[in-house]
Amino acid sequence: SVIDAAIAALEDVNRYPDSLASGLVAEIAAQCQVQPDNVAVGPGSVALLQQLIQISSTVGDEVLCAWRSFEAYPLVTVLNGATPVTVPLTEHERHDLPEMARQLSQRTSVVLLCTPNNPTGTSITTEEFRQFMQQVPSDVLVVLDEAYAEFVRGEQYVDGLREWSQFPNLAVLRTFSKAYGLAGLRVGYVIGHPDLVSGLRRSTVPFTVPAIAQAAAIESLRRRPELLARVELIVAERTRVLERLLDLGLTVEPSQANFVWLRFGERHQEFLDACSNAALSVRPYGDEGVRVTIGEPEENDRFLDVAARFLSSAHGHCQ
Ligand code: PMP
């Protein structure tokens, strides 16, 4: 149905798209139970992220984020002349919010929080988030990047849609690229206070979200029950994969995203070779760790098979 909507929109490609994306904004607002002036859309959440940094930071400013986290954070920071300040994740691969609060300085313009965190899958709790926000000056913009929000299960985790109204300096960042499966169409959105949203609207390049992408995203929101059923399958598979990995004796943190994060220490390369020999595509991050996306059940079985064989052939220490 989403592809049909996109194809139908092709008929009008001689026209400029709706520059305010009013239909899409209205649909997102209804879905998120906010007003249209709380919603800004852009060509992917990474573009909105860049715009948020652009309108709030300049040379000499510091942008604070956890590390490891989404690799675009330091890049978009330096592109705007600002300096990334990174705070290592805790030993459980989580944001170290007390340490991030200590790193706030006069120069901090933006804090980027990624929950669930890419690539580790760990999430920030509501309590941690609120405690942190109490320590952030009101002129520092906080971006809560929830690209994987739809995969989160568990009441304790922060949900930007419950928080934004309390904090005028909070931008909640979401995307159609992950759970909605529309990465190639490039649609993301920000939920926040009207001042923040109007800043984004005034500073955007005109006509950034093509009509085809707007139509597909609208249809996708209308078909949300279908989407949620697919997400539920991925969440069930994630639970199954995590449990099996724990059974195999691996240390693996409880991911809230559609991937799991593994560290193999000295056997990192050996694990990558084992995956590649089994024609499994996994994502290494330097020699630090590997992100494995949850796929269809048969694909996950193949991955679990490789992991089991790899671990039973252990001749070194596995973390
Ligand atoms: N935020 C996070 C945490 C991501 O992992 C990604 C994509 N990998 C994005 C934002 C960007 O997504 P998009 O631009 O496709 O919306």
Side-chain angles (χ1 to χ4, degrees):
S1 58
V2 172
I3 289 173
D4 287 346
I7 290 171
L10 263 175
E11 297 288 339
D12 290 326
V13 285
N14 57 320
R15 310 269 178 214
Y16 277 100
D18 171 359
S19 66
L20 297 174
S22 328
L24 176 57
V25 164
E27 205 72 45
I28 293 170
Q31 182 75 64
C32 298
Q33 299 183 330
V34 299
Q35 298 304 312
D37 66 357
N38 297 122
V39 183
V41 294
S45 60
V46 75
L48 287 161
L49 173 72
Q50 179 151 358
Q51 226 192 312
L52 285 163
I53 295 181
Q54 187 179 35
I55 63 176
S56 57
S57 310
T58 185
V59 175
D61 286 342
E62 293 177 351
V63 174
L64 192 57
C65 67
W67 200 252
R68 223 177 231 282
S69 193
F70 182 30
E71 61 270 22
Y73 295 160
L75 300 175
V76 290
T77 300
V78 297
L79 274 176
N80 287 290
T83 306
V85 175
T86 55
V87 174
L89 297 172
T90 68
E91 57 170 331
H92 292 294
E93 316 278 8
R94 310 188 66 236
H95 279 58
D96 187 347
L97 288 172
E99 183 55 29
M100 290 182 80
R102 279 191 284 278
Q103 293 293 327
L104 288 164
S105 82
Q106 295 287 358
R107 287 192 293 268
T108 309
S109 53
V110 181
V111 182
L112 303 173
L113 302 177
C114 189
T115 181
N117 187 46
N118 179 7
T120 62
T122 49
S123 282
I124 296 171
T125 67
T126 304
E127 200 181 324
E128 287 170 325
F129 173 76
R130 290 185 183 161
Q131 262 172 23
F132 177 73
M133 288 304 283
Q134 276 166 16
Q135 299 167 71
V136 178
S138 59
D139 62 346
V140 171
L141 175 66
V142 177
V143 179
L144 194 63
D145 184 345
E146 298 185 319
Y148 299 92
E150 293 82 2
F151 299 105
V152 176
R153 296 294 175 274
E155 277 303 301
Q156 71 271 39
Y157 298 118
V158 67
D159 174 351
L161 297 185
R162 285 199 303 249
E163 305 300 320
W164 71 268
S165 62
Q166 303 301 310
F167 305 105
N169 57 333
L170 178 65
V172 176
L173 192 58
R174 296 211 168 179
T175 182
F176 284 87
S177 296
K178 313 294 180 184
Y180 285 87
L182 299 181
L185 283 174
R186 315 303 305 132
V187 192
Y189 57 100
V190 164
I191 304 289
H193 264 254
D195 281 353
L196 179 76
V197 165
S198 103
L200 283 169
R201 288 191 185 159
R202 277 180 288 137
S203 59
T204 184
V205 173
F207 308 114
T208 47
V209 184
I212 298 168
Q214 292 184 30
I218 289 172
E219 185 64 22
S220 196
L221 285 168
R222 292 184 180 154
R223 301 280 174 162
R224 199 168 152 86
E226 288 172 33
L227 160 99
L228 294 179
R230 287 201 304 272
V231 167
E232 221 41 69
L233 283 180
I234 294 173
V235 169
E237 280 295 286
R238 174 180 78 198
T239 307
R240 181 174 79 90
V241 168
L242 281 171
E243 280 171 3
R244 178 78 179 121
L245 292 173
L246 287 171
D247 281 352
L248 290 173
L250 278 174
T251 304
V252 49
E253 299 302 334
S255 170
Q256 291 293 315
N258 63 335
F259 47 76
V260 294
W261 169 249
L262 301 168
R263 289 185 193 264
F264 290 98
E266 286 176 356
R267 297 189 74 202
H268 177 80
Q269 189 55 48
E270 210 186 315
F271 180 74
L272 293 180
D273 293 343
C275 289
S276 138
N277 290 338
L280 275 181
S281 169
V282 297
R283 168 85 192 269
Y285 285 73
D287 56 7
E288 251 176 73
V290 188
R291 190 186 70 185
V292 182
T293 298
I294 303 294
E296 301 287 328
E298 318 71 78
E299 296 167 329
N300 300 331
D301 282 343
R302 278 179 50 211
F303 160 63
L304 289 170
D305 252 21
V306 170
R309 267 184 282 128
F310 175 77
L311 291 166
S312 66
S313 72
H315 40 71
H317 170 71
C318 289
Q319 289 182 334

